[in-house]
Structure formats: C-alpha cells, structure tokens
Amino acid sequence: MATVLVSFANPAFASAQRWLSHSARQFGIAQQHLFTAQQFAQTDFFARHQHIAAEPFGAGLYLWKPFYILQVL
C-alpha cells in the first residue's frame, strides 16, 4: 500500500506546507496532494456550505478535510 500525503494550507501556513512536502519527499512519499484555501474557496462545495467554510477557526471548521480526503480517495 502506498503512502499518500494530503495537505491543506491557508496563506499563514503556506511555508509550513512547502516544508512538509519537501520532508515527505525525503522520506519517499512521492504521491502528494497539496491544496490551498484559495482553491477550496473556488469549489461548489465551498459555495454551498459558505456559512461554515467562511469561519476563521480551522479554515472553515475543518470542513475542507473530508472534502479533500474524499477527492483523493
């Protein structure tokens, strides 16, 4: 079974996401899916759930987590 990295970052954590990606490559994790808050804001899912997704805590109460995990699966 292959290990896959799924990462999400808003602008405040963009540099940490880049570091995580680099570190993962060093440990052999080649398959990576790196998402940004800007990408999430352009989805229909965000538009339908904007009342939740626009919350600052957890970049939308972590609503992006199941959305992107499901996309990668």
Side-chain angles (χ1 to χ4, degrees):
M1 180 186 305
T3 302
V4 178
L5 173 67
V6 177
S7 177
F8 175 89
N10 63 18
F13 293 95
S15 63
Q17 186 183 47
R18 285 189 298 274
W19 178 87
L20 175 64
S21 174
H22 175 73
S23 178
R25 276 193 300 273
Q26 287 182 323
F27 286 95
I29 301 173
Q31 189 175 355
Q32 300 184 15
H33 300 272
L34 308 176
F35 300 104
T36 66
Q38 293 86 355
Q39 290 171 316
F40 185 52
Q42 295 174 0
T43 65
D44 291 336
F45 182 81
F46 181 93
R48 287 193 314 272
H49 303 286
Q50 191 167 359
H51 61 287
I52 298 170
E55 288 289 327
F57 180 76
L61 300 176
Y62 301 97
L63 189 61
W64 49 268
K65 275 188 177 191
F67 175 76
Y68 281 122
I69 290 171
L70 185 59
Q71 278 198 339
V72 171
L73 288 176

